[in-house]
Amino acid sequence: MEPSAQPPKADTRLPRKSGVVPPKTLRDRLLHRLPRYTGPYNVGYMDIEVPAREPRPVSGLKRGGKPVLRLDTVLMAIYYPAEIREDFKTSDGKEELHRIDWMPRPRFATSKGYAKMMNLPWPPVTGYLASTTLFTKLPAFRNAKLAQHWPEDMKNDSGPGGQAAREEESRTETNPKFPVIIFSHGLGGSRLCYSAICGELASFGFVVVALEHRDGSAARTYVSLPGNIEANEIESSTARIVANNDDDKEHGNKRVKRRKKQELNPYYVVDYILPKDNAQDTSPHNPKGVDHKLRTAQVALRLEEIKEAFHVLELLNQGGGEEIARINLRKKGNIGSSSLGLKGVDWDDWKDSMFLDGVTIMGHSFGGATTFQACREDQLSWIGQGVALDAWGNGTPVVGDAPEEKVSKPIISLSSEAFIHWKSNFDRIVGICGEARDARQLCWMLTIVGSTHLSMSDFSVLYPNWMSFFMKSMVNPERAFYLTIAATLEFLDTTLPPQQTKYNTWLNEQLLEAGDQTKPDETLFPDHAPDDKWVAVRLKIPNEFWARIRAWFRRLRARALCRATDELDMVNGLRDFSEQPEIWTHLRPTRSQVDAHMRRASSTGQGQRSSRASK
C-alpha cells in the first residue's frame, strides 16, 4: 500500500498581535538560543514543588533491601499564556521580569548528572555545556501575569453564527479560560528539556504542566524535603540525603553536605537509575529485552505524580493559590530554587482560569509510554486524550485482555523517521493504536520525514549540527517542531470539547485529513533505513557528501531570493521538501469514523468540535 502523504502547504501561522517580543540579549547572540514562540500570547513560567499528599515508597521494587522509588514531592514547571508589558516589568511596574535558565538549577551540578548518565568525565561535559547552553535562557518570563484577555485574532469566524455571534458571546466572558496539557519527559529529560514545545503550546493559549519525574529517569533531580519529613525517615537505595555541611562525604548512598555562607534546607538527589544487570534495556539489540519490572514501577510513580499535579491544578482553579505558595518548596532556602520563588504571582487571576475536564496528557519517548498508560487508567477520568511523541512502545507496561487495561481515549502518535525502522517498537505502537481503535476512539499514527529521536526535544534546536552530523537528521529542527505543533493542535481541535476551542488561532495545515487508509505501512523509504546497529538512533544518508552540497546550494539560493521563513524552514534540512512529503500517515480514522465520533460526543452533551479534518 502506498503511503499517505501530504505535500507542504503555506505556513498558516498568524502574525503576532498581542505578544511582546523579548529583546535579544548578548547571551542570546553569543550562546546557543531557543526559538521564540509564535503564538499570539507571551509565555509565563512558574516552578512549583509541593509535598505529596501521602509520601511513600511506590511499588515493591527494592535494591539492597530498600525501596528504589519514592513519592515525597511533585515538581512541575507551568508554562502559561501571559500578559507582558512593553517594558518587561511586572503588572504594577515595580520590578523587572526575569527569563528562565534552560539548565535546571543548580546548573553545574545538573551538568555533572548528565555526564554521569552518559558515563563520561564531568569536567569536559560541564565545560562544553558552559560554553554553549549552560546559561541559555527561555523566551518565557518567571511569574508573569496570567493573560486576562482573548487576543483579537482569536475570535475566528468558524462555527454557528460566524464571527459576530462569537464576539457577542465573548462579551459575557470577562476572562479567558485555558485548556490544560500535562507533559511527561523522556529518559534523561527534565521539566525544561521540552521548553520549545511546551512554550509554543502555551503561546497558543494552553496551560502546560511539565513534570520533572523522580523515578530515576531524569539525568539528575533534586527533591526538597518538606518540614514534616525528617531526613532519617527517607529509606531509598537511590536517595542521597544532603544536609548542611562544608565537605562532601559519602556514607553509603547518602551524601552529606554543609554550606558555610548559605545554608540550604535538607534535600536528596535522585540520579539516573540503570536497570540492574541490564543497563542497555533501551537498546533494540539487547538480548535481555526491556526491564519491565523497573519500567513498570517507574510508570506507576509517574502516574502518581500526574495525579498530584492535577490536584495542584484543582487547588489553583478553586482559588487556592495562596495555599500552594505557602507550601511551595521551590523558594529561597531550598535547593535548585530561584530567589523569587512565586513572588509576584496574582493568585486571583488563576481562579477558574483552566478547563480541567478533557485534560490532554502528552509525552516524549518514555513519556510517550506514560501517555499511553495514562490513557488506559480508568481512575484518570479527567484525561480526555493523549499525544505521544516518538513513544518508546516497548517500554509501555504489558497489559492483559481486560477492557479497562487498554487505551480508551483518542490518541495521536507522532514518530521520528529513525524510530519507524525499529520494527518491534513500530509493531508495539501499532498494537497500542489498535487498542484505541477497538475502543472506537479516534487514532492517528504519523511520522515526520527526516527526523530522529531528539528532533522533538530542545537538544535538536540547541545542537542542530551535532544532530545533523551524528544522528543524520535531515529535517530542519525548527520545521520539525512546527509540524509537531501543527499536528498536535489539529488533533486537539478535533478532540477537545467545543468550549475549549471556540476562540483559537491554532495552526491547521490539514495534516490529519480523514481518509480510507486503515492498515499501517511499515518502512516507507528503505534507502534511509540505517544499518542494523544504528536502528532507532540515526538515519542513513545515501551519498551524504553530495546531499550536503545540494542542501547548501538550496539554502544559498533561498536566501538569495529572499524567500519567506516557512520556505527556508523546508530547505534548511538535508532533504528537499518542496516536492516531497513532510509527513507520512500510517494510521488514521475514516471520515465515517470521525463523523460517528462527533455524533456520539454530541449525543452525550459533551459535543466535541469537528475540525477541518472531517471535511
Side-chain angles (χ1 to χ4, degrees):
M1 181 180 294
E2 291 297 321
S4 173
Q6 296 80 25
K9 299 178 175 62
D11 192 339
T12 55
R13 285 176 287 188
L14 295 180
R16 178 186 292 271
K17 292 186 178 179
S18 300
V20 179
V21 179
K24 284 185 180 180
T25 63
L26 182 62
R27 184 177 301 180
D28 290 329
R29 298 179 188 277
L30 296 179
L31 301 178
H32 294 206
R33 65 182 180 88
L34 291 159
R36 293 173 176 174
Y37 309 128
T38 63
Y41 283 112
N42 279 105
V43 177
Y45 176 98
M46 292 190 296
D47 265 334
I48 294 178
E49 182 179 13
V50 296
R53 288 170 289 177
E54 297 180 18
R56 65 194 185 278
V58 175
S59 88
L61 187 64
K62 293 185 177 183
R63 290 184 183 176
K66 295 181 179 180
V68 176
L69 305 177
R70 286 190 57 89
L71 176 65
D72 289 306
T73 71
V74 60
L75 172 60
M76 68 195 81
I78 301 182
Y79 303 78
Y80 57 91
E83 291 186 4
I84 306 295
R85 289 166 48 118
E86 293 286 348
D87 56 4
F88 298 97
K89 290 189 176 182
T90 55
S91 56
D92 58 9
K94 294 181 179 179
E95 296 184 26
E96 186 176 354
L97 291 169
H98 295 271
R99 290 169 63 188
I100 316 302
D101 295 320
W102 177 76
M103 183 69 74
R105 298 184 182 189
R107 288 173 288 188
F108 282 99
T110 300
S111 69
K112 291 181 181 179
Y114 278 105
K116 180 180 178 181
M117 183 189 75
M118 296 183 290
N119 197 27
L120 296 172
W122 70 263
V125 171
T126 302
Y128 181 69
L129 289 173
S131 64
T132 54
T133 57
L134 199 66
F135 303 100
T136 293
K137 296 282 188 179
L138 272 63
F141 294 88
R142 189 179 297 277
N143 303 346
K145 182 178 178 61
L146 181 69
Q148 298 295 295
H149 69 285
W150 291 112
E152 292 181 4
D153 56 3
M154 291 188 79
K155 297 181 176 64
N156 57 41
D157 59 359
S158 60
Q163 183 176 4
R166 290 182 176 276
E167 290 181 351
E168 177 63 28
E169 183 181 359
S170 69
R171 294 190 187 101
T172 64
E173 300 180 11
T174 56
N175 294 320
K177 197 170 182 178
F178 302 110
V180 173
I181 298 172
I182 296 179
F183 194 98
S184 175
H185 65 72
L187 297 177
S190 72
R191 67 194 188 279
L192 289 160
C193 279
Y194 301 88
S195 68
I197 285 178
C198 294
E200 182 75 351
L201 290 169
S203 77
F204 279 99
F206 289 86
V207 172
V208 184
V209 179
L211 287 162
E212 183 160 301
H213 295 295
R214 270 58 184 279
D215 62 337
S217 64
R220 173 169 289 179
T221 186
Y222 292 82
V223 182
S224 297
L225 291 179
N228 62 343
I229 296 180
E230 296 295 332
N232 58 15
E233 294 178 0
I234 303 297
E235 288 289 333
S236 173
S237 64
T238 57
R240 294 177 296 163
I241 307 300
V242 185
N244 296 313
N245 87 58
D246 209 343
D247 304 316
D248 284 358
K249 298 178 181 179
E250 295 291 342
H251 299 286
N253 288 317
K254 298 181 179 180
R255 183 177 62 186
V256 182
K257 193 172 186 178
R258 293 178 194 254
R259 297 174 181 259
K260 290 180 178 178
K261 295 183 179 180
Q262 178 185 356
E263 290 191 352
L264 292 175
N265 295 323
Y267 61 92
Y268 66 85
V269 184
V270 179
D271 283 340
Y272 188 84
I273 299 174
L274 291 170
K276 190 175 182 180
D277 301 323
N278 187 14
Q280 301 300 320
D281 81 323
T282 59
S283 171
H285 311 293
N286 180 12
K288 294 183 179 180
V290 176
D291 185 342
H292 281 293
K293 187 174 182 180
L294 171 63
R295 302 308 182 190
T296 300
Q298 288 178 310
V299 170
L301 176 53
R302 285 166 166 245
L303 294 181
E304 293 302 317
E305 291 173 320
I306 288 170
K307 293 175 185 176
E308 295 294 323
F310 182 73
H311 176 65
V312 170
L313 295 177
E314 286 184 312
L315 290 178
L316 291 178
N317 218 37
Q318 294 166 4
E322 294 291 348
E323 174 63 14
I324 294 297
R326 185 185 67 79
I327 64 176
N328 177 47
L329 297 167
R330 288 282 155 159
K331 58 187 177 183
K332 188 175 182 180
N334 285 340
I335 188 70
S337 303
S338 164
S339 59
L340 293 175
L342 295 174
K343 181 181 177 182
V345 178
D346 188 342
W347 298 111
D348 289 337
D349 293 344
W350 285 86
K351 186 175 181 180
D352 198 30
S353 63
M354 295 173 280
F355 291 105
L356 295 183
D357 58 317
V359 171
T360 302
I361 182 74
M362 185 176 187
H364 174 254
S365 191
F366 195 38
T370 306
T371 295
F372 289 140
Q373 190 62 22
C375 289
R376 289 169 169 162
E377 296 286 329
D378 286 341
Q379 293 182 351
L380 304 179
S381 59
W382 39 268
I383 289 180
Q385 52 279 318
V387 179
L389 307 180
D390 221 14
W392 182 29
N394 291 333
T396 305
V398 179
V399 301
D401 295 327
E404 63 272 12
E405 294 180 339
K406 297 187 177 183
V407 171
S408 59
K409 310 286 174 62
I411 58 172
I412 182 171
S413 174
L414 285 164
S415 296
S416 69
E417 185 178 349
F419 252 45
I420 69 164
H421 297 297
W422 184 1
K423 179 173 172 48
S424 63
N425 196 76
F426 182 90
D427 292 342
R428 187 78 183 98
I429 300 297
V430 171
I432 293 169
C433 289
E435 295 177 21
R437 288 153 68 91
D438 290 344
R440 300 176 64 202
Q441 296 292 348
L442 300 183
C443 174
W444 283 265
M445 185 175 173
L446 312 174
T447 291
I448 297 178
V449 180
S451 62
T452 54
H453 189 54
L454 292 180
S455 294
M456 298 173 184
S457 74
D458 289 355
F459 292 103
S460 67
V461 291
L462 291 172
Y463 299 100
N465 293 329
W466 292 125
M467 290 286 295
S468 176
F469 282 100
F470 289 100
M471 301 294 103
K472 309 302 180 186
S473 179
M474 291 182 278
V475 64
N476 177 271
E478 293 194 33
R479 185 64 182 176
F481 271 133
Y482 173 78
L483 293 171
T484 300
I485 294 296
T488 298
L489 292 176
E490 289 178 38
F491 170 75
L492 296 179
D493 195 32
T494 303
T495 57
L496 283 173
Q499 65 269 27
Q500 300 189 33
T501 64
K502 59 185 176 183
Y503 306 126
N504 71 71
T505 56
W506 299 353
L507 313 175
N508 195 322
E509 292 196 11
Q510 301 183 36
L511 301 175
L512 306 186
E513 286 183 332
D516 299 326
Q517 183 171 329
T518 58
K519 294 182 180 180
D521 289 302
E522 196 171 313
T523 302
L524 302 179
F525 282 75
D527 288 346
H528 300 141
D531 298 334
D532 190 55
K533 68 176 182 177
W534 296 115
V535 165
V537 177
R538 71 184 193 185
L539 298 170
K540 179 188 290 184
I541 305 175
N543 303 310
E544 182 175 346
F545 175 79
W546 293 110
R548 294 189 183 279
I549 292 295
R550 287 193 298 270
W552 182 79
F553 275 108
R554 287 199 305 272
R555 290 193 293 270
L556 187 66
R557 180 174 180 273
R559 291 191 177 96
L561 296 175
C562 299
R563 286 186 173 177
T565 301
D566 60 313
E567 293 183 77
L568 283 172
D569 283 342
M570 288 187 280
V571 302
N572 275 344
L574 294 183
R575 282 183 59 86
D576 181 2
F577 293 105
S578 59
E579 297 181 356
Q580 300 181 47
E582 294 187 87
I583 283 186
W584 297 324
T585 301
H586 305 281
L587 285 171
R588 63 184 176 187
T590 64
R591 289 185 176 86
S592 61
Q593 289 170 331
V594 173
D595 292 340
H597 172 82
M598 304 309 299
R599 287 194 298 270
R600 290 197 306 271
S602 179
S603 65
T604 59
Q606 299 293 326
Q608 295 174 318
R609 177 171 173 243
S610 174
S611 72
R612 296 181 188 131
S614 63
K615 294 183 180 179

